[in-house]
């Protein structure tokens, strides 16, 4: 760790504490060269594995952007979306993995979005789970009324239905 004052390439840890409810570590450091103290915050990196196989850093902003489209015209505020993104990040980080699939993030979005706004949930689920018929919407609405997520539907699909499993 470089000293921010003299750029010496080493420092001594004086104190370490958990911060942000355990999501990060706050360390108090001292430079052996100039003697000045400084604080660092360390968090674990979380990567998202895309369908193409590429990986990129996790971004709450991408969650907000994706969900915002589903919430267009609904009584959902930017604060609501920020809280939803934080909830999704907390759930994903609680799994304790360094890399997660983009599909798993989409699944993690469904429940908080259902609690936030049922119409926005249906919009998001219809695109995310590739609804291709009225029956798909009817099943999702029935699941909402029954307190389940659309992805939890275990009914037998009619012949000819081509929606891919979530």
């Amino acid at each position: 760790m470089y000293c921010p004052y003299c750029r010496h390439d080493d420092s001594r840890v004086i104190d370490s504490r958990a911060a942000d409810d355990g999501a990060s570590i706050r360390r108090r450091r001292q430079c052996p060269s100039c003697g000045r103290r400084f604080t660092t915050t360390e968090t674990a990196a979380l990567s998202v594995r895309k369908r193409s196989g590429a990986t990129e850093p996790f971004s709450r902003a991408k969650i907000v952007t994706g969900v915002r489209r589903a919430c267009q015209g609904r009584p959902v505020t930017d604060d609501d979306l920020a809280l939803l993104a934080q909830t999704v990040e907390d759930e994903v980080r609680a799994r304790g993995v360094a890399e997660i699939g983009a599909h798993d993030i989409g699944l993690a979005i469904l429940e908080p979005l259902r609690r936030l706004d049922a119409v926005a949930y249906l919009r998001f689920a219809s695109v995310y789970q590739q609804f291709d018929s009225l029956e798909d919407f009817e099943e999702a609405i029935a699941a909402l009324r029954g307190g389940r997520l659309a992805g939890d539907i275990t009914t037998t699909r009619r012949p000819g239905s081509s929606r891919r499993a979530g």
Side-chain angles (χ1 to χ4, degrees), residues 61-137:
K62 282 193 166 192
I63 291 174
V64 170
T65 300
V67 174
R68 180 174 278 129
R69 288 187 201 116
C71 295
Q72 195 166 0
R74 302 296 305 154
V76 176
T77 66
D78 287 342
D79 289 342
D80 292 335
L81 293 177
L83 185 59
L84 180 137
Q86 180 64 50
T87 301
V88 171
E89 181 177 5
D90 290 347
E91 179 186 326
V92 168
R93 285 192 184 276
R95 295 179 187 184
V97 296
E99 185 175 280
I100 187 161
H103 180 75
D104 294 329
I105 292 174
L107 292 176
I109 290 170
L110 289 173
E111 176 58 26
L113 185 56
R114 183 189 65 79
R115 289 191 309 262
L116 180 63
D117 187 277
V119 172
Y121 164 79
L122 278 175
R123 289 175 179 170
F124 186 85
S126 70
V127 173
Y128 188 74
Q129 296 178 328
Q130 300 174 348
F131 289 8
D132 63 358
S133 69
L134 288 176
E135 287 81 14
D136 292 335
F137 281 95

Side-chain angles (χ1 to χ4, degrees), residues 4 6 17 24 30 35-36 55 58-59 71 77 79 89 101 105 117 128 136 143 148 152-153 157 161:
C6 71
R17 296 180 187 202
S24 62
Q30 183 171 17
R36 295 183 76 178
T55 60
F58 177 85
S59 169
C71 295
T77 66
D79 289 342
E89 181 177 5
I105 292 174
D117 187 277
Y128 188 74
D136 292 335
R148 302 182 322 252
D152 294 340
I153 299 171
R157 301 199 53 86
S161 178

